[in-house]
Amino acid sequence: MLLLISLLLPLTTASLSLFVTGRLLKSMHLISSFALIIVTVLLLLTTQHEGAQSLVLGNWPWPFGIEFYADGLSALLMVSISLIAFAVIIFQVQLSDSLIESRHFALLQSLIGASMAISMAADLFNLYVWFELMLISVLGLMVGKAEPKNMEATLKYFILSLLGTLLMLAAVGLIYRATGHLNFNAIATLDLSPETAQQLPIYGGLLLLALLLKIGAFPLYAWLPGSYHTLPIHWLAFIGGVLTKIGVYIILRLSGQVFDFSLFYDVLGWLAVITMLSGVIGAAYHWDLRRILAFHIISQVGFLLLGVALASQAAATATFLFMIHNILVKANLFLIVGLIWLSLGHFDLRRLGGLYQAKPLLAIVFLLSAISLVGIPPSSGFWGKFLLLKEAFAQQYFVWAIAAMFTGLLTLYSMSKIWVEAFWKPLPEGTEVRPIPRILMWTVLALSVLILALGLMPEPIIQLLDSQVGGFYGGAQ
Amino acid sequence: MNLILIITISCMVMAGVYLLLSRDVFKIVVGLALLGMGVNLIVFFAGIPGTLIPAVLEPATEVLVNQAANPLPQALVLTAIVIGFALLCFALILAAVLVKQNGHHDVQALQQSEPQTKDGKDNCKPSIMEAE
């Protein structure tokens, strides 16, 4: 029941918002996304008390009906997504301009709904459909006010993402032909004939390729820095914070529970190393805040892929922890950049400055998130990285681990670049500091407190994740 | 039947990829459409083609006739076609607007969302690296 509500709530709000405007629209979205937080938290509690929840639609017996499945991992992911969604909706309510707002509210909500659905999809074709909905919503948001640079960015995003979904569809068709099933669990528990057992890893690899394109792994990430920076900053907070991580979540779930990806783990590890290095080097080069953070998305996807490539239960725990941390921190950083833009009117670091004096609270909040992103102990980013590196050293992949540490160093460089340029440097002449709406400051502050809490008390989350990954990589649940 | 389908799929995918690699924005859109159709055929292929027996139960039976076509991939293909059609419409409008805004079809020349270079100066370089 909770599964269905958490899916239908954003989707119903999305369709309703086409018919209402003004105050009613705004309050409807605020209430709906706050209710979503409550529903997902309830779902998390239910999975802890009663075990994994499953919902098979259409009155068909399992494995023929379309199944939604949520264990603690999906529920935790959904909680963090709904938190970000609420923060982004608050920003949208404050910042939206009246003319086209109902359309954008609807697209945001359908994006939230699609993310919810992907987190709990347990059926390959259903997964494909929700990825398409996600793609369509992002395209709608990306077009924005249809200025030339938006259209250009949309084209770049569209071509590569559509290629990804087409690959995914082909893989789904081939997997269905080989196994006769679409349900994750049915494929995982199937007795394979020798012929099918040979084919299935190849089809799984095609699916993996499609997902790698979706999450922006090397060398398939060209669409990400080419398009993300044209989005309004609070939409970018949701899109950049959540979308790529959901793709990694699906890869992790498929590799742990459904397919045997052991053919690809070495390749994935090297891809992860190149992805994290190229992302962070791109970030070091740029001066636009949005581009810097967009390139950091790529480098963090590399970290997460490293966790997939290590392919053990300990690595899965570390990757999930890092993913949850990254969704919150990344989105919060984008929102903080939004506040910087609100107060100074620029994204270009060379034209910013003096914020440490003008807005001390903003400076503290940024510092908290930046330290988390770099992974300085005892911040939330530290624990995920620490567990991941520990596992990499334990499995004797020294080169991968050292590359990851080097990436951390370069991340520190670009975060301190932002700190020095935007906060410490004196305010450039002729720039006026505008006030920030108080509610937005509170939103960012609340997220930062949450990130701080995750860093200081990671133990409950780690225990939760540890208890959930028991069935991964052939382990008994 | 299988052979014909395989040849058709590979031709469509080849043509689609070829067009996708072009620099003309409309050719890219047509390439995506062709590729999409090829992929749809792959999914269709999953349903044991080559039989003329429809997947309908005879009266008073509970099991399909042996070698009947599997209806599920057909339903899947139908969904995929609908989604693909919507995206194709979007892509055509996007391409038309791009051509109208820029006055040409060349994708390579679309540089407005990149850091602008004014008077030969790279916008990305820090000010220290620029000559006084």
Side-chain angles (χ1 to χ4, degrees):
Chain A
M1 199 59 208
L2 284 171
L3 290 176
L4 206 57
I5 295 175
S6 60
L7 175 61
L8 287 183
L9 195 62
L11 292 182
T12 320
T13 319
S15 14
L16 280 181
S17 55
L18 294 174
F19 304 107
V20 291
T21 48
R23 251 214 147 96
L24 184 62
L25 178 77
K26 291 179 175 176
S27 39
M28 183 175 83
H29 279 269
L30 282 175
I31 293 169
S32 149
S33 43
F34 185 70
L36 191 62
I37 297 182
I38 296 175
V39 171
T40 48
V41 169
L42 279 179
L43 181 63
L44 182 62
L45 293 177
T46 320
T47 55
Q48 290 314 296
H49 291 302
E50 298 171 16
Q53 301 287 306
S54 164
L55 172 78
V56 183
L57 292 173
N59 209 13
W60 291 92
W62 185 90
F64 300 107
I66 293 171
E67 189 189 5
F68 286 107
Y69 173 88
D71 53 10
L73 302 175
S74 351
L76 196 59
L77 186 69
M78 285 160 75
V79 170
S80 41
I81 293 173
S82 62
L83 284 170
I84 298 305
F86 186 51
V88 170
I89 291 288
I90 292 177
F91 267 68
Q92 171 73 6
V93 164
Q94 276 284 322
L95 301 179
S96 68
D97 43 5
S98 54
L99 276 176
I100 39 178
E101 62 180 10
S102 64
R103 192 165 37 127
H104 288 152
F105 270 109
L107 286 167
L108 268 179
Q109 284 288 356
S110 70
L111 188 59
I112 295 166
S115 328
M116 288 288 152
I118 292 174
S119 327
M120 55 187 181
D123 180 288
L124 280 174
F125 193 78
N126 201 22
L127 186 73
Y128 155 78
V129 172
W130 293 116
F131 264 109
E132 288 281 24
L133 179 64
M134 197 157 92
L135 170 64
I136 292 167
S137 322
V138 176
L139 286 175
L141 290 174
M142 212 165 247
V143 167
K145 289 178 188 145
E147 287 163 18
K149 66 172 188 308
N150 298 63
M151 300 309 270
E152 217 181 286
T154 315
L155 184 76
K156 289 173 187 169
Y157 184 81
F158 175 77
I159 293 173
L160 280 168
S161 302
L162 189 60
L163 201 62
T165 39
L166 286 178
L167 286 177
M168 190 188 287
L169 182 61
V172 170
L174 290 169
I175 290 167
Y176 182 74
R177 183 171 172 82
T179 62
H181 282 291
L182 289 168
N183 190 291
F184 285 2
N185 226 342
I187 295 174
T189 51
L190 204 62
D191 283 329
L192 298 173
S193 68
E195 194 193 349
T196 320
Q198 272 184 346
Q199 291 172 352
L200 201 56
I202 299 168
Y203 301 152
L206 189 59
L207 191 60
L208 185 65
L209 183 67
L211 287 165
L212 285 180
L213 212 161
K214 287 269 165 198
I215 64 173
F218 180 87
L220 306 167
Y221 65 69
W223 55 271
L224 198 153
S227 60
Y228 268 19
H229 61 275
T230 61
L231 282 160
I233 192 76
H234 54 295
W235 300 347
L236 183 53
F238 191 84
I239 292 172
V242 172
L243 263 51
T244 44
K245 278 70 174 187
I246 290 189
V248 179
Y249 164 80
I250 293 293
I251 292 183
L252 200 53
R253 191 167 273 278
L254 290 180
S255 77
Q257 290 182 318
V258 184
F259 294 106
D260 179 17
F261 281 155
S262 47
L263 267 178
F264 309 110
Y265 287 138
D266 275 341
V267 182
L268 268 182
W270 288 109
L271 274 185
V273 167
I274 306 174
T275 308
M276 60 177 109
L277 284 176
S278 50
V280 85
I281 288 169
Y285 174 76
H286 278 288
W287 287 85
D288 186 316
L289 279 169
R290 292 166 300 178
R291 280 174 198 275
I292 294 176
L293 291 182
F295 269 107
H296 274 300
I297 296 176
I298 298 171
S299 100
Q300 274 119 31
V301 161
F303 263 104
L304 294 167
L305 270 184
L306 185 63
V308 178
L310 290 175
S312 68
Q313 293 182 5
T317 307
T319 315
F320 274 118
L321 184 65
F322 193 71
M323 189 185 301
I324 300 295
H325 135 80
N326 207 255
I327 289 175
L328 294 175
V329 170
K330 198 84 219 177
N332 198 31
L333 273 174
F334 275 119
L335 292 178
I336 291 168
V337 167
L339 294 185
I340 293 178
W341 175 72
L342 276 179
S343 52
L344 293 181
H346 285 292
F347 288 114
D348 192 330
L349 277 178
R350 284 159 298 182
R351 303 170 79 168
L352 301 175
L355 278 173
Y356 185 65
Q357 276 197 324
K359 309 262 183 225
L361 192 58
L362 189 63
I364 292 170
V365 169
F366 171 80
L367 198 62
L368 251 171
S369 296
I371 283 176
S372 275
L373 194 73
V374 178
I376 295 169
S379 64
S380 60
F382 168 72
W383 299 107
K385 278 191 186 179
F386 171 70
L387 292 174
L388 206 58
L389 287 178
K390 199 175 109 186
E391 181 64 17
F393 278 118
Q395 292 192 22
Q396 305 196 325
Y397 287 112
F398 297 117
V399 181
W400 296 357
I402 289 167
M405 283 150 89
F406 185 61
T407 309
L409 197 66
L410 285 177
T411 312
L412 180 63
Y413 164 71
S414 56
M415 283 301 129
S416 46
K417 182 165 91 177
I418 298 180
W419 177 251
V420 169
E421 292 284 331
F423 290 93
W424 266 357
K425 191 176 72 180
L427 193 67
E429 278 173 40
T431 316
E432 139 193 42
V433 184
R434 278 167 292 179
I436 298 170
R438 194 167 291 162
I439 177 80
L440 300 187
M441 197 64 225
W442 280 110
T443 312
V444 170
L445 197 63
L447 277 176
S448 306
V449 170
L450 203 67
I451 292 165
L452 190 66
L454 185 62
L456 294 178
M457 295 178 291
E459 199 54 38
I461 304 270
I462 294 178
Q463 273 174 4
L464 193 161
L465 293 173
D466 264 337
S467 69
Q468 295 293 327
V469 296
F472 272 51
Y473 303 108
Q477 188 86 47
Chain B
M1 181 70 180
N2 275 353
L3 192 66
I4 298 173
L5 252 180
I6 290 169
I7 292 172
T8 320
I9 291 172
S10 35
C11 284
M12 290 184 82
V13 170
M14 271 191 291
V17 171
Y18 176 75
L19 286 173
L20 206 55
L21 294 175
S22 118
R23 280 169 58 171
D24 184 318
V25 59
F26 275 110
K27 280 189 188 164
I28 292 177
V29 173
V30 175
L32 274 177
L34 272 179
L35 200 60
M37 295 303 156
V39 170
N40 284 346
L41 279 179
I42 292 179
V43 180
F44 181 69
F45 192 52
I48 319 175
T51 168
L52 295 175
I53 306 166
V56 179
L57 285 179
E58 296 294 326
T61 55
E62 287 188 346
V63 184
L64 280 179
V65 190
N66 194 23
Q67 283 293 307
N70 182 350
L72 184 68
Q74 299 176 10
L76 300 186
V77 166
L78 205 58
T79 317
I81 289 174
V82 173
I83 297 175
F85 185 68
L87 283 172
L88 180 62
C89 292
F90 178 84
L92 279 172
I93 294 171
L94 183 67
V97 171
L98 271 173
V99 170
K100 202 173 159 192
Q101 281 176 345
N102 294 285
H104 56 74
H105 291 235
D106 193 355
V107 183
Q108 199 85 28
L110 295 177
Q111 293 289 343
Q112 291 196 39
S113 68
E114 298 304 316
Q116 298 293 312
T117 47
K118 280 175 197 151
D119 1 306
K121 262 197 261 175
D122 185 347
N123 199 20
C124 283
K125 271 186 199 155
S127 44
I128 311 167
M129 287 166 73
E130 278 165 16
E132 289 292 318

